[in-house]
């Protein structure tokens, strides 16, 4: 036998072991779909960095198996492209798990694929409640708009605020935020005086600012996907004089994600949000996470909510691999993490067995300077918040 032929056969046999999930050592691939280019490229970077921190801390093997993450770039909300990339990961890369997904439409698009291939999909971000209802293979480690908004609306009502305008991006999570806010705030005695829905791709917010002024509200509740969108909206709020006019600014913490705070500057000061993670969350585990991140990447400037979505998502995937002994069985893998609880850099987490979404502490925060840097400083904590939007209206 020639050396080349023998190597080719060995290669093929080895390849078989990799995909068959045999008792021997295998490589289990996890496909991660996220923006790595374009305006939301920071998201992919935060996912990848957090996964690398997790693997540096926990190793790259589970039992006999090596866990390898494979990344695909999806620069925007594009469900057809999301489906094509995910299919390629399943068919060509033979991934055993799918993960990532920043935008709701991109996560929703893979439901038929994960059902058919019996593959778990661990969502690191996409935050519309209905997603996990579309397939029993979804597990989510981020947050939902309902989860952040219910405690925020209750808090605002308790502060004596009576009239609010909601301003949201006109798609899944925005509509969830608007619905959750209106229902909760009005139940608690407030009035939503206008509901503004802005196209997902808006970048000129001046007309919306005029509408907010005209509504005569004391405060706004705003949701847009974190990134250039939130940055432009928050700057516009300040530049168009709404901040100076004393209108108070509230929303889920997407609007004050840490990497954007230096660019927002004074416009960020005083914005009050509810969210699942602040970079300055005071816990030993968060300090260890930040220290490892700094050691590996030189700074913690990119660390934000998408970092912990991926870090905890990697943890869930590792547990699924462990619980199934490395065998490819999506139904069993998902079943095995229902009810799982663990400590995260953001606080305690539990996977709700019904919604397959994390129950977690939601923090009330205000942007303030800390050691010369703007941060989301936690002011109150609301423990054990579920996804209030799961099966609402069903
Ligand atoms: C979503 O599309 O679900 C989404 C995107 C960005 C966010 C939050 C939710 O910051």
């Amino acid at each position: 036998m020639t050396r080349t032929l023998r190597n080719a056969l060995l290669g093929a046999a080895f390849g078989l072991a990799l995909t068959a999930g045999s008792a021997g050592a295998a490589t289990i691939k996890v496909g991660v779909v996220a923006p790595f280019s374009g305006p939301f490229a920071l998201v992919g970077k935060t996912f990848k960095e957090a996964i690398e921190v997790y693997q540096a801390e926990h190793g790259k093997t589970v039992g006999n198996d090596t866990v390898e993450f494979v990344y695909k770039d999806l620069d925007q909300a594009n469900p057809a492209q999301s489906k094509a990339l995910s299919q390629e990961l399943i068919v060509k890369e033979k991934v055993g798990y799918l993960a990532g997904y920043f935008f709701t439409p991109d996560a929703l698009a893979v439901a038929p694929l994960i059902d058919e291939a019996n593959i778990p999909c661990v969502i690191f971000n996409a935050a519309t409640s209905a997603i996990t209802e579309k397939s029993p293979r979804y597990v989510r480690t981020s947050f939902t708009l309902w989860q952040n908004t219910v405690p925020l609306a209750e808090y605002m009502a308790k502060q004596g605020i009576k009239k609010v305008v909601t301003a949201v991006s006109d798609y899944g999570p925005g509509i969830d935020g608007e619905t959750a806010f209106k229902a909760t705030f009005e139940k608690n005695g407030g009035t939503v005086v206008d509901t503004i829905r802005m196209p997902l791709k808006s970048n000129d917010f001046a007309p919306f600012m005029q509408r907010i002024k005209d509504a005569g509200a004391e405060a706004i509740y705003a949701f847009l996907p974190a990134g250039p969108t939130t940055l432009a909206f928050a700057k516009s709020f300040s530049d168009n004089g709404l901040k100076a006019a004393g209108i108070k600014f509230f929303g889920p913490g997407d609007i004050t994600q840490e990497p954007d705070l230096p660019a927002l500057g004074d416009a960020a000061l005083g914005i009050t949000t509810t969210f699942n993670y602040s970079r300055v969350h005071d816990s030993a585990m968060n300090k260890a996470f930040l220290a490892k991140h700094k050691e590996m990447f030189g700074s913690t400037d990119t660390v934000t909510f998408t970092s912990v979505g991926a870090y905890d998502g990697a943890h869930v995937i590792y547990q699924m691999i462990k619980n199934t002994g490395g065998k490819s069985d999506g139904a069993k893998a998902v079943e095995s993490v229902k009810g799982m609880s663990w400590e995260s850099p953001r606080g305690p987490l539990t996977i709700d067995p019904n919604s397959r979404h994390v129950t977690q502490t939601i923090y009330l925060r205000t942007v303030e300077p800390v050691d010369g840097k703007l941060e989301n400083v936690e002011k109150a904590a609301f423990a054990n918040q579920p996804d209030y939007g799961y099966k609402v209206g069903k």
Side-chain angles (χ1 to χ4, degrees):
M1 205 187 292
T2 66
R3 209 183 175 88
T4 16
L5 180 60
R6 191 161 168 267
N7 282 349
L9 286 173
L10 275 176
F14 189 56
L16 197 69
L18 295 190
T19 51
S22 69
T27 295
I28 295 173
K29 289 189 182 178
V30 181
V32 180
V33 178
F36 286 91
S37 64
F40 296 93
L42 175 74
V43 174
K45 186 175 162 66
T46 61
F47 284 176
K48 191 162 185 282
E49 287 177 347
I51 288 166
E52 288 177 8
V53 169
Y54 187 83
Q55 290 204 300
E57 289 174 343
H58 299 269
K60 290 191 173 168
T61 56
V62 178
N64 286 328
D65 302 318
T66 300
V67 186
E68 184 192 336
F69 288 85
V70 184
Y71 298 91
K72 289 277 181 206
D73 179 18
L74 177 59
D75 65 339
Q76 56 181 313
N78 183 342
Q81 181 72 357
S82 176
K83 195 170 175 187
L85 291 173
S86 305
Q87 184 151 358
E88 196 181 316
L89 283 165
I90 296 171
V91 175
K92 290 213 186 110
E93 295 283 348
K94 309 227 179 307
V95 299
Y97 293 81
L98 283 173
Y101 304 99
F102 183 62
F103 288 106
T104 286
D106 299 335
L108 280 174
V110 303
L113 291 180
I114 57 177
D115 279 348
E116 197 182 324
N118 188 20
I119 280 181
C121 177
V122 179
I123 298 170
F124 292 170
N125 185 69
T128 303
S129 288
I131 299 171
T132 61
E133 295 166 28
K134 305 294 180 203
S135 165
R137 302 290 170 267
Y138 286 121
V139 175
R140 177 164 46 200
T141 53
S142 51
F143 57 88
T144 68
L145 271 294
W146 275 90
Q147 194 171 32
N148 286 310
T149 301
V150 168
L152 179 60
E154 286 172 353
Y155 168 80
M156 288 168 67
K158 274 202 196 104
Q159 294 303 104
I161 297 169
K162 294 282 178 224
K163 285 188 191 170
V164 173
V165 173
T166 59
V168 301
S169 291
D170 191 5
Y171 78 121
I175 313 285
D176 270 8
E178 177 194 289
T179 310
F181 186 83
K182 192 169 161 59
T184 313
F185 191 59
E186 297 201 334
K187 193 167 78 193
N188 287 276
T191 308
V192 173
V193 292
D194 195 3
T195 51
I196 301 174
R197 294 184 181 179
M198 305 170 288
L200 180 54
K201 293 199 170 149
S202 311
N203 49 29
D204 174 15
F205 294 104
F208 301 115
M209 294 303 154
Q210 190 56 47
R211 205 170 137 187
I212 294 167
K213 272 191 208 160
D214 293 347
E218 305 156 71
I220 63 158
Y221 163 92
F223 166 79
L224 302 92
T229 14
T230 41
L231 188 58
F233 183 90
K235 269 204 165 303
S236 187
F237 184 86
S238 181
D239 292 350
N240 285 282
L242 282 78
K243 185 176 174 167
I247 299 172
K248 296 194 183 82
F249 194 148
F250 295 90
D254 312 71
I255 206 101
T256 58
Q257 68 162 339
E258 284 80 0
D260 287 340
L261 292 175
L264 256 182
D266 285 354
L269 287 173
I271 299 180
T272 299
T273 56
T274 42
F275 222 27
N276 59 353
Y277 179 67
S278 161
R279 184 167 60 192
V280 290
H281 177 62
D282 188 10
S283 76
M285 190 163 182
N286 190 41
K287 290 200 175 97
F289 172 68
L290 294 173
K292 191 73 191 168
H293 193 286
K294 186 161 188 193
E295 178 197 316
M296 293 176 68
F297 304 107
S299 105
T300 56
D301 289 352
T302 53
V303 173
T304 188
F305 67 101
T306 44
S307 313
V308 292
Y311 183 82
D312 292 313
H315 184 58
V316 171
I317 292 165
Y318 267 48
Q319 289 305 307
M320 288 177 172
I321 295 172
K322 193 170 153 199
N323 296 342
T324 50
K327 301 240 165 29
S328 170
D329 184 344
K332 191 175 169 199
V334 171
E335 203 53 44
S336 79
V337 295
K338 288 184 178 173
M340 165 182 162
S341 293
W342 73 102
E343 173 78 16
S344 150
R346 65 182 109 160
L349 295 184
T350 299
I351 298 177
D352 180 300
N354 295 316
S355 66
R356 284 161 279 108
H357 174 81
V358 283
T359 297
Q360 60 194 321
T361 305
I362 296 298
Y363 305 89
L364 180 80
R365 314 98 47 85
T366 305
V367 178
E368 293 173 6
V370 177
D371 300 332
K373 258 189 186 174
L374 293 178
E375 297 283 2
N376 290 296
V377 177
E378 291 172 4
K379 303 288 177 182
F382 309 102
N384 295 318
Q385 300 296 302
D387 175 16
Y388 294 102
Y390 183 66
K391 293 203 168 160
V392 159
K394 297 262 157 47

